[in-house]
Amino acid sequence: MTTLDIQGLSKSYGEVRALNDVSFSVAAGELFGFVGSNGAGKTTTMRIVLGVLKADAGAVTWDGKPVGLDVRRRIGYMPEERGLYPRMKVGEQLTYLARLHGLDAAAATAAMEHWTEVLGVAERRGDDVEKLSLGNQQRVQLASALVHSPDILVLDEPFSGLDPVAVAVMSDVLRSQADRGVPVIFSSHQLELVERLCDRVGIVKSGRLVANGTIDELRTTDTLRWSLATSGAAPVATTGVTVTSDGPGRYLIETESSEAAQAVLASAVAGGTVTEFAPVRPSLTDLFRDVVSETEEVAA
């Protein structure tokens, strides 16, 4: 399976260390969410993948080989800043960009028509980009990354400024690209969206990758937590179990084993009607906050 590998990337600007030994991979057909605070190193990593910046150390490989100009021509890139010609018409611009990627005139026109239709801006093909709303400019920007049927997609904040309908359209497009075998890496501050959409997530903090894995892997904790709602008395806390009130008739159960949790549940059932008993797992937002706070404490 063809994989995009980022291996030990480091990059400094004077005394500022933008990246520090960042390594991860994105497999064919995988959606990889790259998250972090502003200035954490996401954009620098993406620009190194594109060849816009040169790393001080490390390498980027595709199918085990260094990413050179031939591979970069097959990458679809969407920068966070608008990278379009503001006074050029949408259709002409997308056709022009497709031609730059090697498509002939007929294929470039067909690609432009297809992606403006899919992304909901077909009626704006004759408009200058600067006359579009920010959301529609974002759709055109994505179309520009897709018109040449790229083998790799690298997208910096693709959901920025989009309304819920456009977010749904964009999500479907990214998933369809992954389904055809394209490795997709994108950054976003919308952590709930990343959690819902991505196969794997990397969290970067101050130039270091501090967490990397599937959502299930990242959400797995040593302590198991359960939410319990009952009409009866508080459940009995056995050895190794902590029971904390979480409101009238509601309790948070913390254990180190599922068996212990089941014993608490049996106690609650014996004492009243249980209306809820469900595992509580941290969201990506919780993980991000905890991981970033933990690394800041270690640094301090």
Side-chain angles (χ1 to χ4, degrees), residues 247-296:
R250 301 189 63 87
Y251 302 91
L252 180 65
I253 315 299
E254 295 185 79
T255 74
E256 294 183 357
S257 71
S258 297
E259 291 76 12
Q262 293 300 319
V264 175
L265 173 60
S267 168
V269 169
T273 300
V274 174
T275 56
E276 178 186 326
F277 186 69
V280 177
R281 304 177 69 193
S283 66
L284 182 57
T285 301
D286 296 330
L287 290 168
F288 179 80
R289 182 181 60 249
D290 293 344
V291 167
V292 169
S293 297
E294 180 179 341
T295 55
E296 287 175 344

Short mmCIF file of all heavy atoms in Angstrom, two decimals, residues 247-296:
data_model
loop_
_atom_site.label_atom_id
_atom_site.label_comp_id
_atom_site.label_asym_id
_atom_site.label_seq_id
_atom_site.Cartn_x
_atom_site.Cartn_y
_atom_site.Cartn_z
N GLY A 247 -24.87 15.05 39.95
CA GLY A 247 -26.19 15.65 39.87
C GLY A 247 -27.22 14.75 40.51
O GLY A 247 -26.93 13.60 40.87
N PRO A 248 -28.46 15.22 40.66
CA PRO A 248 -29.52 14.41 41.29
C PRO A 248 -29.72 13.07 40.57
O PRO A 248 -30.07 13.04 39.39
CB PRO A 248 -30.76 15.30 41.17
CG PRO A 248 -30.21 16.69 41.06
CD PRO A 248 -28.94 16.56 40.28
N GLY A 249 -29.51 12.00 41.28
CA GLY A 249 -29.72 10.66 40.72
C GLY A 249 -28.68 10.24 39.69
O GLY A 249 -28.85 9.20 39.05
N ARG A 250 -27.62 11.00 39.52
CA ARG A 250 -26.60 10.69 38.51
C ARG A 250 -25.24 10.52 39.19
O ARG A 250 -24.90 11.28 40.11
CB ARG A 250 -26.51 11.77 37.43
CG ARG A 250 -27.81 12.00 36.67
CD ARG A 250 -27.56 12.91 35.48
NE ARG A 250 -26.65 12.29 34.53
CZ ARG A 250 -27.03 11.47 33.55
NH1 ARG A 250 -28.31 11.18 33.39
NH2 ARG A 250 -26.14 10.95 32.73
N TYR A 251 -24.46 9.54 38.68
CA TYR A 251 -23.18 9.25 39.31
C TYR A 251 -22.14 8.93 38.23
O TYR A 251 -22.46 8.38 37.17
CB TYR A 251 -23.31 8.06 40.26
CG TYR A 251 -24.34 8.29 41.34
CD1 TYR A 251 -25.67 7.90 41.15
CD2 TYR A 251 -24.01 8.94 42.53
CE1 TYR A 251 -26.64 8.16 42.12
CE2 TYR A 251 -24.97 9.19 43.50
CZ TYR A 251 -26.27 8.79 43.28
OH TYR A 251 -27.23 9.05 44.23
N LEU A 252 -20.90 9.30 38.53
CA LEU A 252 -19.77 8.95 37.67
C LEU A 252 -19.00 7.85 38.36
O LEU A 252 -18.54 8.01 39.50
CB LEU A 252 -18.87 10.17 37.44
CG LEU A 252 -17.65 9.93 36.54
CD1 LEU A 252 -18.09 9.58 35.12
CD2 LEU A 252 -16.74 11.15 36.53
N ILE A 253 -18.87 6.72 37.68
CA ILE A 253 -18.19 5.55 38.23
C ILE A 253 -16.82 5.45 37.58
O ILE A 253 -16.70 5.44 36.35
CB ILE A 253 -18.99 4.26 37.95
CG1 ILE A 253 -20.49 4.46 38.24
CG2 ILE A 253 -18.40 3.09 38.72
CD1 ILE A 253 -20.79 4.81 39.66
N GLU A 254 -15.76 5.35 38.38
CA GLU A 254 -14.42 5.17 37.87
C GLU A 254 -13.85 3.85 38.38
O GLU A 254 -13.85 3.60 39.60
CB GLU A 254 -13.51 6.33 38.29
CG GLU A 254 -13.93 7.67 37.70
CD GLU A 254 -12.94 8.77 38.03
OE1 GLU A 254 -11.89 8.84 37.37
OE2 GLU A 254 -13.22 9.55 38.96
N THR A 255 -13.41 3.02 37.46
CA THR A 255 -12.87 1.70 37.82
C THR A 255 -11.66 1.40 36.94
O THR A 255 -11.35 2.13 36.00
CB THR A 255 -13.91 0.59 37.59
OG1 THR A 255 -14.04 0.35 36.19
CG2 THR A 255 -15.26 0.96 38.16
N GLU A 256 -11.01 0.29 37.26
CA GLU A 256 -9.89 -0.16 36.43
C GLU A 256 -10.26 -1.43 35.66
O GLU A 256 -9.43 -1.98 34.94
CB GLU A 256 -8.66 -0.42 37.30
CG GLU A 256 -8.09 0.87 37.92
CD GLU A 256 -6.83 0.63 38.71
OE1 GLU A 256 -6.43 -0.56 38.82
OE2 GLU A 256 -6.24 1.60 39.22
N SER A 257 -11.49 -1.89 35.82
CA SER A 257 -11.93 -3.09 35.10
C SER A 257 -13.42 -3.02 34.83
O SER A 257 -14.18 -2.43 35.59
CB SER A 257 -11.61 -4.36 35.90
OG SER A 257 -12.45 -4.45 37.04
N SER A 258 -13.84 -3.66 33.75
CA SER A 258 -15.26 -3.72 33.41
C SER A 258 -16.03 -4.56 34.43
O SER A 258 -17.21 -4.29 34.71
CB SER A 258 -15.44 -4.30 32.00
OG SER A 258 -14.85 -3.48 31.03
N GLU A 259 -15.37 -5.56 34.98
CA GLU A 259 -16.03 -6.43 35.96
C GLU A 259 -16.45 -5.63 37.20
O GLU A 259 -17.55 -5.81 37.73
CB GLU A 259 -15.09 -7.58 36.37
CG GLU A 259 -14.82 -8.61 35.28
CD GLU A 259 -13.83 -8.10 34.23
OE1 GLU A 259 -13.18 -7.05 34.46
OE2 GLU A 259 -13.71 -8.76 33.19
N ALA A 260 -15.56 -4.76 37.65
CA ALA A 260 -15.89 -3.93 38.82
C ALA A 260 -17.05 -3.00 38.51
O ALA A 260 -17.93 -2.78 39.36
CB ALA A 260 -14.67 -3.13 39.24
N ALA A 261 -17.10 -2.48 37.30
CA ALA A 261 -18.21 -1.61 36.90
C ALA A 261 -19.53 -2.38 36.89
O ALA A 261 -20.57 -1.85 37.28
CB ALA A 261 -17.93 -1.01 35.53
N GLN A 262 -19.48 -3.63 36.43
CA GLN A 262 -20.69 -4.44 36.41
C GLN A 262 -21.20 -4.73 37.83
O GLN A 262 -22.41 -4.80 38.07
CB GLN A 262 -20.43 -5.76 35.67
CG GLN A 262 -20.16 -5.60 34.19
CD GLN A 262 -21.31 -4.96 33.45
OE1 GLN A 262 -22.47 -5.27 33.71
NE2 GLN A 262 -20.99 -4.05 32.53
N ALA A 263 -20.28 -4.88 38.77
CA ALA A 263 -20.67 -5.09 40.16
C ALA A 263 -21.39 -3.85 40.71
O ALA A 263 -22.38 -3.96 41.44
CB ALA A 263 -19.43 -5.41 41.01
N VAL A 264 -20.92 -2.67 40.36
CA VAL A 264 -21.58 -1.44 40.77
C VAL A 264 -22.97 -1.35 40.15
O VAL A 264 -23.94 -0.95 40.79
CB VAL A 264 -20.73 -0.21 40.38
CG1 VAL A 264 -21.48 1.09 40.69
CG2 VAL A 264 -19.39 -0.23 41.09
N LEU A 265 -23.05 -1.74 38.88
CA LEU A 265 -24.35 -1.72 38.19
C LEU A 265 -25.33 -2.66 38.89
O LEU A 265 -26.50 -2.30 39.10
CB LEU A 265 -24.17 -2.14 36.73
CG LEU A 265 -25.46 -2.32 35.93
CD1 LEU A 265 -26.26 -1.02 35.88
CD2 LEU A 265 -25.14 -2.81 34.51
N ALA A 266 -24.88 -3.85 39.26
CA ALA A 266 -25.75 -4.80 39.96
C ALA A 266 -26.25 -4.21 41.26
O ALA A 266 -27.43 -4.38 41.64
CB ALA A 266 -24.99 -6.11 40.21
N SER A 267 -25.39 -3.50 41.97
CA SER A 267 -25.78 -2.86 43.23
C SER A 267 -26.85 -1.80 42.98
O SER A 267 -27.83 -1.70 43.74
CB SER A 267 -24.55 -2.21 43.87
OG SER A 267 -24.92 -1.36 44.94
N ALA A 268 -26.68 -1.02 41.90
CA ALA A 268 -27.65 0.03 41.58
C ALA A 268 -28.99 -0.57 41.18
O ALA A 268 -30.05 -0.06 41.56
CB ALA A 268 -27.10 0.90 40.46
N VAL A 269 -28.97 -1.65 40.41
CA VAL A 269 -30.21 -2.32 39.98
C VAL A 269 -30.97 -2.85 41.20
O VAL A 269 -32.22 -2.77 41.27
CB VAL A 269 -29.90 -3.44 38.98
CG1 VAL A 269 -31.15 -4.30 38.73
CG2 VAL A 269 -29.38 -2.87 37.68
N ALA A 270 -30.23 -3.38 42.16
CA ALA A 270 -30.87 -3.93 43.36
C ALA A 270 -31.52 -2.83 44.20
O ALA A 270 -32.47 -3.09 44.94
CB ALA A 270 -29.83 -4.68 44.19
N GLY A 271 -31.03 -1.59 44.06
CA GLY A 271 -31.53 -0.51 44.91
C GLY A 271 -32.54 0.40 44.25
O GLY A 271 -33.07 1.31 44.90
N GLY A 272 -32.83 0.22 42.95
CA GLY A 272 -33.77 1.10 42.28
C GLY A 272 -33.76 0.88 40.77
O GLY A 272 -33.15 -0.08 40.28
N THR A 273 -34.43 1.75 40.05
CA THR A 273 -34.51 1.64 38.59
C THR A 273 -33.34 2.39 37.95
O THR A 273 -33.18 3.60 38.16
CB THR A 273 -35.83 2.24 38.07
OG1 THR A 273 -36.92 1.51 38.66
CG2 THR A 273 -35.91 2.12 36.54
N VAL A 274 -32.54 1.65 37.17
CA VAL A 274 -31.41 2.26 36.46
C VAL A 274 -31.89 2.70 35.08
O VAL A 274 -32.38 1.89 34.30
CB VAL A 274 -30.23 1.27 36.33
CG1 VAL A 274 -29.13 1.87 35.46
CG2 VAL A 274 -29.69 0.92 37.72
N THR A 275 -31.79 3.98 34.79
CA THR A 275 -32.24 4.50 33.49
C THR A 275 -31.09 4.77 32.53
O THR A 275 -31.31 5.01 31.34
CB THR A 275 -33.02 5.82 33.69
OG1 THR A 275 -32.20 6.75 34.40
CG2 THR A 275 -34.30 5.56 34.49
N GLU A 276 -29.87 4.72 33.05
CA GLU A 276 -28.72 4.92 32.16
C GLU A 276 -27.48 4.29 32.77
O GLU A 276 -27.23 4.39 33.98
CB GLU A 276 -28.44 6.41 31.94
CG GLU A 276 -27.22 6.69 31.06
CD GLU A 276 -26.90 8.16 30.97
OE1 GLU A 276 -27.84 8.98 30.98
OE2 GLU A 276 -25.69 8.50 30.93
N PHE A 277 -26.74 3.58 31.95
CA PHE A 277 -25.42 3.07 32.34
C PHE A 277 -24.60 2.99 31.06
O PHE A 277 -24.84 2.13 30.21
CB PHE A 277 -25.53 1.68 32.99
CG PHE A 277 -24.21 1.19 33.54
CD1 PHE A 277 -23.64 1.80 34.63
CD2 PHE A 277 -23.55 0.13 32.93
CE1 PHE A 277 -22.42 1.35 35.15
CE2 PHE A 277 -22.34 -0.32 33.42
CZ PHE A 277 -21.77 0.29 34.54
N ALA A 278 -23.67 3.92 30.91
CA ALA A 278 -22.94 4.02 29.65
C ALA A 278 -21.49 4.41 29.90
O ALA A 278 -21.19 5.15 30.84
CB ALA A 278 -23.60 5.06 28.74
N PRO A 279 -20.59 3.89 29.07
CA PRO A 279 -19.18 4.28 29.22
C PRO A 279 -18.99 5.75 28.88
O PRO A 279 -19.66 6.29 28.00
CB PRO A 279 -18.45 3.37 28.22
CG PRO A 279 -19.49 3.00 27.22
CD PRO A 279 -20.79 2.93 27.96
N VAL A 280 -18.09 6.40 29.56
CA VAL A 280 -17.74 7.79 29.31
C VAL A 280 -16.30 7.82 28.78
O VAL A 280 -15.37 7.40 29.47
CB VAL A 280 -17.84 8.65 30.58
CG1 VAL A 280 -17.38 10.08 30.30
CG2 VAL A 280 -19.25 8.62 31.13
N ARG A 281 -16.17 8.28 27.55
CA ARG A 281 -14.84 8.33 26.95
C ARG A 281 -14.52 9.77 26.57
O ARG A 281 -15.40 10.53 26.16
CB ARG A 281 -14.78 7.44 25.71
CG ARG A 281 -15.16 5.99 25.98
CD ARG A 281 -15.14 5.18 24.71
NE ARG A 281 -13.79 5.00 24.20
CZ ARG A 281 -13.52 4.55 22.98
NH1 ARG A 281 -14.51 4.29 22.14
NH2 ARG A 281 -12.28 4.39 22.59
N PRO A 282 -13.26 10.17 26.70
CA PRO A 282 -12.90 11.56 26.38
C PRO A 282 -13.09 11.86 24.90
O PRO A 282 -12.82 11.01 24.05
CB PRO A 282 -11.43 11.65 26.79
CG PRO A 282 -10.93 10.23 26.71
CD PRO A 282 -12.09 9.38 27.13
N SER A 283 -13.56 13.05 24.59
CA SER A 283 -13.67 13.48 23.20
C SER A 283 -12.30 13.93 22.72
O SER A 283 -11.35 14.09 23.51
CB SER A 283 -14.67 14.63 23.08
OG SER A 283 -14.17 15.78 23.76
N LEU A 284 -12.17 14.16 21.42
CA LEU A 284 -10.91 14.67 20.89
C LEU A 284 -10.60 16.03 21.50
O LEU A 284 -9.44 16.36 21.75
CB LEU A 284 -10.98 14.76 19.36
CG LEU A 284 -9.69 15.23 18.66
CD1 LEU A 284 -8.52 14.32 19.01
CD2 LEU A 284 -9.89 15.28 17.15
N THR A 285 -11.64 16.83 21.74
CA THR A 285 -11.43 18.13 22.38
C THR A 285 -10.83 17.95 23.77
O THR A 285 -9.89 18.66 24.16
CB THR A 285 -12.76 18.90 22.48
OG1 THR A 285 -13.29 19.09 21.16
CG2 THR A 285 -12.57 20.25 23.15
N ASP A 286 -11.35 16.99 24.54
CA ASP A 286 -10.79 16.69 25.87
C ASP A 286 -9.35 16.23 25.76
O ASP A 286 -8.48 16.65 26.53
CB ASP A 286 -11.62 15.61 26.57
CG ASP A 286 -13.04 16.05 26.86
OD1 ASP A 286 -13.25 17.26 27.07
OD2 ASP A 286 -13.94 15.18 26.86
N LEU A 287 -9.09 15.33 24.80
CA LEU A 287 -7.74 14.81 24.61
C LEU A 287 -6.77 15.93 24.25
O LEU A 287 -5.66 16.00 24.79
CB LEU A 287 -7.74 13.76 23.49
CG LEU A 287 -8.42 12.43 23.80
CD1 LEU A 287 -8.59 11.62 22.52
CD2 LEU A 287 -7.62 11.64 24.81
N PHE A 288 -7.20 16.78 23.34
CA PHE A 288 -6.34 17.89 22.92
C PHE A 288 -5.98 18.77 24.10
O PHE A 288 -4.82 19.11 24.33
CB PHE A 288 -7.05 18.71 21.84
CG PHE A 288 -6.25 19.88 21.35
CD1 PHE A 288 -5.23 19.72 20.42
CD2 PHE A 288 -6.51 21.16 21.82
CE1 PHE A 288 -4.49 20.80 19.99
CE2 PHE A 288 -5.79 22.24 21.38
CZ PHE A 288 -4.77 22.06 20.46
N ARG A 289 -7.00 19.12 24.89
CA ARG A 289 -6.76 19.98 26.05
C ARG A 289 -5.83 19.29 27.05
O ARG A 289 -4.87 19.91 27.56
CB ARG A 289 -8.09 20.32 26.71
CG ARG A 289 -7.94 21.24 27.92
CD ARG A 289 -9.28 21.54 28.57
NE ARG A 289 -9.94 20.32 29.03
CZ ARG A 289 -11.04 19.82 28.48
NH1 ARG A 289 -11.62 20.44 27.46
NH2 ARG A 289 -11.59 18.72 28.97
N ASP A 290 -6.07 18.01 27.32
CA ASP A 290 -5.26 17.30 28.30
C ASP A 290 -3.83 17.09 27.82
O ASP A 290 -2.87 17.27 28.59
CB ASP A 290 -5.89 15.93 28.62
CG ASP A 290 -7.22 16.06 29.34
OD1 ASP A 290 -7.50 17.17 29.87
OD2 ASP A 290 -7.98 15.08 29.38
N VAL A 291 -3.66 16.72 26.55
CA VAL A 291 -2.32 16.47 26.02
C VAL A 291 -1.50 17.75 25.99
O VAL A 291 -0.34 17.77 26.37
CB VAL A 291 -2.41 15.85 24.60
CG1 VAL A 291 -1.04 15.88 23.92
CG2 VAL A 291 -2.90 14.41 24.69
N VAL A 292 -2.11 18.83 25.52
CA VAL A 292 -1.40 20.10 25.45
C VAL A 292 -1.05 20.59 26.85
O VAL A 292 0.07 21.05 27.11
CB VAL A 292 -2.24 21.15 24.71
CG1 VAL A 292 -1.63 22.54 24.87
CG2 VAL A 292 -2.33 20.79 23.23
N SER A 293 -1.98 20.47 27.80
CA SER A 293 -1.71 20.89 29.18
C SER A 293 -0.60 20.05 29.78
O SER A 293 0.29 20.57 30.48
CB SER A 293 -2.97 20.77 30.03
OG SER A 293 -3.99 21.63 29.56
N GLU A 294 -0.61 18.76 29.50
CA GLU A 294 0.40 17.85 30.07
C GLU A 294 1.80 18.20 29.54
O GLU A 294 2.77 18.25 30.30
CB GLU A 294 0.06 16.40 29.71
CG GLU A 294 1.05 15.38 30.26
CD GLU A 294 0.65 13.96 29.90
OE1 GLU A 294 -0.53 13.73 29.57
OE2 GLU A 294 1.53 13.08 29.94
N THR A 295 1.89 18.47 28.23
CA THR A 295 3.20 18.79 27.68
C THR A 295 3.70 20.14 28.20
O THR A 295 4.90 20.34 28.39
CB THR A 295 3.16 18.83 26.14
OG1 THR A 295 2.13 19.73 25.71
CG2 THR A 295 2.86 17.45 25.58
N GLU A 296 2.78 21.06 28.46
CA GLU A 296 3.18 22.35 29.01
C GLU A 296 3.71 22.18 30.43
O GLU A 296 4.69 22.81 30.84
CB GLU A 296 2.00 23.32 28.99
CG GLU A 296 1.66 23.83 27.58
CD GLU A 296 0.40 24.70 27.55
OE1 GLU A 296 -0.34 24.63 28.56
OE2 GLU A 296 0.22 25.42 26.57
#
